[in-house]
Every structure is written in structure tokens, then in C-alpha cells.
Amino acid sequence: MEAAVLHALGKPPRFEQFPDPVAGEGEVLVKVLAAALNPSTKAVAGGGHFASSENLPAVVGLDGAGLLEDGSRVFFGGPRKPYGSFAQTTVVPVHLAWPVPEGVDDLTAAALPNPALSSWIPLEHSAKLQAGETVLVLGATGESGRLAIQIAKHLGAGRVVAAGRNQAVLDTLGELGADATVSLNGTQEEITEAFVAAGGDTGYDVILDYVWGKPTEALLAAISRKDFHLQSSGPRLVQIGESAGATIELAAGTVRSAGLTIVGGGFPPPKVFLDMFNRLLAGAAAGEIRIDTQAVPLADIEEAWQSEDKSRRLVIVP
């Protein structure tokens, strides 16, 4: 079969022939329809991920959308090594192939779950978002951040504040449901003032932090000020990413005075996760959650792998 084959960690995969998989006990073959080029896929192939392996050659790709042998359409994950999703066919555990509803196209089915669940799980499982609460998305101009705005509103947030550096994208986030925006360009003092102003009379109940570093320090300076509105329970910050830095300075007084809670993303039990997945795709089928995609032929994998385009999710199509 045709596949994107990795021969060396840290190098782009090559489009070439690879042996067809054979399903074993508890496995199913999947005819791949589409597979998104996610950052996690590149991280695994780069060698710096906990799932990286030096058992090469191997087909890249962690998940995708495809057809089972009975013709049913599924989203799948966990291909058995050395197989991956960037191929005409792959093999996965039967319990990791989940039905895709009619109203979701192949590109969306492949591209949406990975980045969307990275905000759905923190909002619902880690932060336990309640209807009417205010959500701040730190890093809202990235793909996951843009989805987080939509998902927060879908889950009942009363107000969503979007913070990011890309001003051109920031200016469009009202179309996705953002009620206010904060530019992360400027001095620390200017960013802190912007967080205070955007917090308004509600403050922030839930903070999804994709950036960490200096922007988070500016936010913490804002919520520790006497003129910042704080709910009695204090804000819950879910730490997800570190695109602006791996460390911050955190004063003990900020935690005490603001009642701040900081948690990691965590992961729900399998049944809860599957329920989230089903509700996510139902939202996509209803047109309430959307992601920008671009189809790329499997034969062009080397060029796509090195693309710097972050405006949409590239989806490999065999």
C-alpha cells in the first residue's frame, strides 16, 4: 500500500510503498479516508514525545477517519505500530474505532477531535465549567484556542474573553463567540491593564492557558490587584500549553489573595471521554463547532510536513 514512511526520527516521512497490515484478535482494518497533520504527530516523529520509537521504518499518523470492512465510517486512534494513519489502510483496536455521524464530512471528522478535545476535556472535566461562567482563553488565536471559544459557548459559558498575539486573528474572534479580546502585544503593564479591563464586573471563573510564560504572569498580576473583580470561589486555571514559556514566577500571595486554583488537563474515564467525543461531533454536525481544513494528497506528505501554514489544519488524504 501507499504510505508516509518515517526512516529517521526528526526527518520528514517519505511517500512510498509499505506492507499491508493484517488484523489480529481484537483489531479491525480501516480504509483511511483522511488523517490530520497534528502537532502531536510531528512530535512523535521528531523523537521528543513519550510515544516516539526508534523501531523504524514505520508509518506516521496517530488518528484519522476511515471505513471499516462493513462500510461504516469511523474516527479511529491508536494504530498498531509500525502502522499509522497516513496510509491507504491501517489497523487499530476495535474499541478505538468510533462512529462518525452523517453530517460531519471526512476532513472535519479527521481534524476536529484532537484539538477540540484539548479544550473540551479541560473545560468540562478539569475546570468543571458551570453554565453562565466567564471563560478566559489564553492563546485564543491558535487553532485549539479558536476551538476553545466555540466549545466554551457550546458548553454554556456566559461570557468568553479571548487573548492572543495575532491581532489579525484576534479581530475575527467575535464571529466565533468571543465577547471581548485582549492583545498580548505590549508591555507587561499594558497587558495586565487589558486583563483587568476585559475582566469587567465578572472577572474570570475558568482560564484555559495554552501559553504560560510572561502572558500568564501579566494575568496573575491582574487578578491579584484590589480593583479586579473576583468571584468568592476564585478562578480555576487549567494549564494546557507553554508556547510563550515553560516557567513563570508565581507569588504565594497571588494564590492566597485570589483564591487561585491551578490544575493540569487530566483525562476522564473512557466512557466519559467517549461521551465527550460523541457530543463534540454532534455539535459539529449541527454547525455549532467548526474547524478550517485543507486537504493534501498523501503523495505530497514531505511538502505538507514542512509547511508553516497554521491558519488551517492540513489533512492528508490517501
Side-chain angles (χ1 to χ4, degrees):
M1 66 177 179
E2 295 174 342
V5 183
L6 186 71
H7 289 269
L9 294 175
K11 301 292 184 181
R14 302 200 298 256
F15 175 68
E16 59 189 39
Q17 294 291 315
F18 198 81
D20 293 325
V22 176
E25 184 176 353
E27 296 179 331
V28 288
L29 292 175
V30 182
K31 177 183 177 182
V32 181
L33 298 173
L37 182 49
N38 298 314
S40 53
T41 296
K42 296 182 73 171
V44 170
H49 193 276
F50 69 88
S52 299
S53 173
E54 294 185 357
N55 294 326
L56 302 174
V59 179
V60 297
L62 305 176
D63 52 34
L67 296 175
L68 300 183
E69 292 179 286
D70 64 4
S72 56
R73 197 163 61 111
V74 298
F75 173 84
F76 64 87
R80 170 168 44 88
K81 295 179 180 179
Y83 299 99
S85 56
F86 289 13
Q88 291 177 306
T89 306
T90 192
V91 59
V92 304
V94 65
H95 68 277
L96 294 183
W98 304 326
V100 173
E102 289 277 338
V104 181
D105 64 81
D106 296 339
L107 298 186
T108 298
L112 184 63
N114 185 296
L117 288 170
S118 78
S119 54
W120 192 301
I121 292 172
L123 281 167
E124 193 168 69
H125 178 68
S126 304
K128 295 178 173 52
L129 174 68
Q130 301 297 307
E133 288 189 319
T134 297
V135 174
L136 168 64
V137 181
L138 256 179
T141 54
E143 192 173 74
S144 294
R146 296 197 299 273
L147 283 167
I149 296 167
Q150 302 173 62
I151 292 166
K153 280 298 181 76
H154 184 76
L155 293 177
R159 187 165 179 266
V160 176
V161 178
R165 282 200 176 92
N166 188 325
Q167 190 63 49
V169 176
L170 207 61
D171 291 340
T172 69
L173 297 184
E175 302 169 10
L176 298 180
D179 299 286
T181 60
V182 172
S183 172
L184 297 182
N185 300 306
T187 65
Q188 285 292 94
E189 291 75 16
E190 290 170 337
I191 298 171
T192 294
E193 290 292 341
F195 278 130
V196 172
D201 296 330
T202 62
Y204 308 119
D205 298 291
V206 174
I207 302 160
L208 295 189
D209 189 340
Y210 291 93
V211 299
W212 210 234
K214 291 298 181 182
T216 299
E217 290 182 358
L219 168 66
L220 296 178
I223 67 175
S224 62
R225 279 178 30 169
K226 292 182 179 180
D227 58 342
F228 186 83
H229 182 90
L230 285 171
Q231 303 289 354
S232 58
S233 59
R236 291 104 69 195
L237 185 152
V238 187
Q239 211 301 303
I240 303 171
E242 53 183 66
S243 61
T247 62
I248 64 168
E249 289 189 11
L250 174 60
T254 299
V255 179
R256 293 195 302 268
S257 63
L260 175 68
T261 300
I262 301 178
V263 298
F267 205 80
K271 287 185 178 180
V272 176
F273 180 82
L274 182 55
D275 176 65
M276 290 178 179
F277 169 84
N278 288 332
R279 287 187 286 137
L280 169 65
L281 289 199
E288 298 173 5
I289 303 171
R290 61 185 189 272
I291 185 171
D292 293 330
T293 60
Q294 179 181 336
V296 178
L298 179 60
D300 296 337
I301 182 59
E302 288 189 59
E303 180 180 351
W305 194 266
Q306 299 172 82
S307 172
E308 298 295 327
D309 183 7
K310 296 182 180 180
S311 64
R312 64 196 69 190
R313 184 58 56 100
L314 300 183
V315 181
I316 306 302
V317 179

